[in-house]
Amino acid sequence: MTTYDFDKVIDRNNTGSVKWGLLHDVFGSSDLHPMWVADMDFPPPAEVTTAIRNRLEHEIFGYTFVPPSVGKAIQAWVKTRHHWEIRQAWITYSSGVVPTISTAVRAFTSVGDKVMLQSPVYTPFFSMVEKNERVVVNSPLKNVNNRYEIDFEDFEAKLKEGVKLFLLCNPHNPSGRVWEKEELLQIGELCKKYNCLILADEIHSDLVFEGNIHVPIASLGDFADFVVTCIAPSKTFNLAGLQASAVITSNQELRDLFQAEQQKQGFHTLNTFGIVGMEAAYLHGETWLTEALAYMAENIRYVQEYLEAELPQIKMMQPEGTYLIWMDCRELGLSDDELKKALIEKGKIGLEPGPKYGTGGEGFVRMNIACSKEHVTEGLKRLKAALS
Ligand SMILES: Cc1ncc(COP(=O)(O)O)c(C=O)c1O
């Protein structure tokens, strides 16, 4: 018996949902089946909604500080879930991980400095570097038998060129790779050797499927002082609209630099409901998360089975974490423009186009399966109509 009914479909139209309401702006057509933006179509844990409702009843929504109980909830969550012991003093709050990437780039590097990433990767990794007039250095991931690996020779060669900051995406969006301890140790040791800071975007860290373990890179080795980690309840519990996240580092100097940059931007606290939602989620969200992960694992299994039977030219990467499926469509022999046109015009489905994630994304699309099985089933039907 499960507590939550993830089969239940809730209409998200006319709620300002980016995924459902901006189809026309992004794809040029509004009658598409949305499986793009990385949020879930599920309501969050009941305790989160109750906590927000209780706060709402108070009816006064003035400036709100983040109380120590939130730090305590985060500390307990990362300890239980990821065996990572942190101090509450290591936590800084931020409205989101993308704002954190931008703030970190400004705080830890100067205009013209090199910032490294590994494509294909979440698009704002590029744009937050470029918009802040720093230089993107790319150490592309290697696709080995339909699974990404790090080319450590290239990684070290790039670090030697004087990279100031490395943006790590773990678990990895768009592929769902969960980097292993040995890989993370190698990353950390190399970054330390070349005096390169690490911004670890671990926003997907709670979304890891059986057989895989998320290891916070800051919990390893003797390079923790080089690492600033981003976590949030937004992906885990579907609270992206609440705009609340945490930035964790044991290095006080980095914390001071980061907070000074936040102050320059006039940032000083979170949204009242973000604070309430974040605390309730980390305190009470475990059962919901266990059930959500099981449901999404089943969706992934279903997609895999369907592709093997109906669209064998499409090879999906097996997500070790995240609710994103990275599909290799290169065997179809279509250009990215042709692929996009077929998906929109023939299939009427909204998927993320691979080239958005930089080099290595050509010929791929990304599907979000954090939705009801019914929605996945319809999506697959449309994928087949578009591409078979
Ligand atoms: C790797 C990664 N980082 C950050 C974000 C967004 O973070 P936020 O909404 O907190 O800015 C996403 C959303 O898809 C993501 O996949």
Side-chain angles (χ1 to χ4, degrees), residues 189-229:
E189 278 153 15
L190 282 170
C191 286
K192 183 174 175 182
K193 180 171 169 190
Y194 293 100
N195 208 22
C196 173
L197 298 174
I198 301 170
L199 186 81
D201 178 342
E202 300 188 3
I203 194 169
H204 295 277
S205 55
D206 302 316
L207 300 163
V208 167
F209 299 108
E210 239 179 84
N212 302 282
I213 297 170
H214 171 76
V215 180
I217 190 169
S219 70
L220 293 176
D222 59 353
F223 45 76
D225 269 1
F226 280 76
V227 184
V228 175
T229 305

Side-chain angles (χ1 to χ4, degrees), residues 38 95-99 101 122 125 169 173 201 203-204 232 234-235 240 243 245 366:
S95 60
V97 174
V98 174
I101 296 171
Y122 183 53
F125 276 40
C169 192
N173 173 5
D201 178 342
I203 194 169
H204 295 277
S234 51
K235 298 287 156 203
Q243 298 278 285
S245 77
R366 194 194 75 175

Side-chain angles (χ1 to χ4, degrees), residues 36-39 94-101 121-125 168-174 201-204 230-235 239-241 243-245 322-324 352 357 366:
W36 59 304
V37 172
D39 70 12
S94 162
S95 60
V97 174
V98 174
T100 294
I101 296 171
V121 75
Y122 183 53
T123 316
F125 276 40
L168 170 69
C169 192
N170 185 32
H172 178 251
N173 173 5
D201 178 342
E202 300 188 3
I203 194 169
H204 295 277
C230 313
I231 64 161
S234 51
K235 298 287 156 203
L239 303 176
Q243 298 278 285
S245 77
T322 81
Y323 46 72
L324 310 167
E352 296 282 8
Y357 302 87
R366 194 194 75 175

Side-chain angles (χ1 to χ4, degrees), residues 145-315:
N145 298 326
N146 212 20
R147 186 170 185 257
Y148 284 125
E149 289 183 7
I150 295 166
D151 179 347
F152 278 107
E153 225 170 88
D154 182 72
F155 191 88
E156 179 162 14
K158 300 271 163 68
L159 283 176
K160 261 188 202 160
E161 293 169 11
V163 173
K164 289 277 170 56
L165 178 67
F166 167 56
L167 306 180
L168 170 69
C169 192
N170 185 32
H172 178 251
N173 173 5
S175 76
R177 257 306 314 266
V178 175
W179 302 109
E180 287 169 15
K181 187 174 167 185
E182 283 64 35
E183 293 168 310
L184 296 168
L185 278 168
Q186 219 169 327
I187 289 173
E189 278 153 15
L190 282 170
C191 286
K192 183 174 175 182
K193 180 171 169 190
Y194 293 100
N195 208 22
C196 173
L197 298 174
I198 301 170
L199 186 81
D201 178 342
E202 300 188 3
I203 194 169
H204 295 277
S205 55
D206 302 316
L207 300 163
V208 167
F209 299 108
E210 239 179 84
N212 302 282
I213 297 170
H214 171 76
V215 180
I217 190 169
S219 70
L220 293 176
D222 59 353
F223 45 76
D225 269 1
F226 280 76
V227 184
V228 175
T229 305
C230 313
I231 64 161
S234 51
K235 298 287 156 203
T236 312
F237 302 105
N238 202 26
L239 303 176
L242 293 187
Q243 298 278 285
S245 77
V247 186
I248 305 170
T249 178
S250 57
N251 184 327
Q252 176 151 7
E253 196 186 330
L254 295 182
R255 223 159 43 231
D256 290 347
L257 284 169
F258 186 88
Q259 288 171 359
E261 186 55 44
Q262 280 188 316
Q263 282 158 17
K264 274 193 214 169
Q265 296 166 18
F267 175 84
H268 64 104
T269 191
L270 297 179
N271 175 295
T272 304
F273 296 106
I275 296 169
V276 171
M278 175 150 66
E279 181 173 356
Y282 283 133
L283 283 181
H284 307 296
E286 201 169 351
T287 304
W288 180 94
L289 181 57
T290 304
E291 293 184 11
L293 282 169
Y295 190 88
M296 294 187 292
E298 176 54 28
N299 277 353
I300 291 168
R301 195 198 55 74
Y302 177 55
V303 171
Q304 179 153 32
E305 223 175 73
Y306 186 93
L307 293 183
E308 280 167 10
E310 305 290 336
L311 286 163
Q313 310 96 313
I314 300 179
K315 306 279 184 296

Side-chain angles (χ1 to χ4, degrees), residues 72-86 216:
K72 212 171 144 193
I74 292 172
Q75 187 185 36
W77 179 264
V78 298
K79 184 173 177 192
T80 315
R81 204 119 192 130
H82 306 302
H83 312 290
W84 185 24
E85 304 253 8
I86 64 163

Side-chain angles (χ1 to χ4, degrees), residues 320-335:
E320 298 163 353
T322 81
Y323 46 72
L324 310 167
I325 301 185
W326 189 231
M327 296 180 175
D328 184 348
C329 304
R330 289 175 297 176
E331 262 185 41
L332 294 167
L334 301 173
S335 70

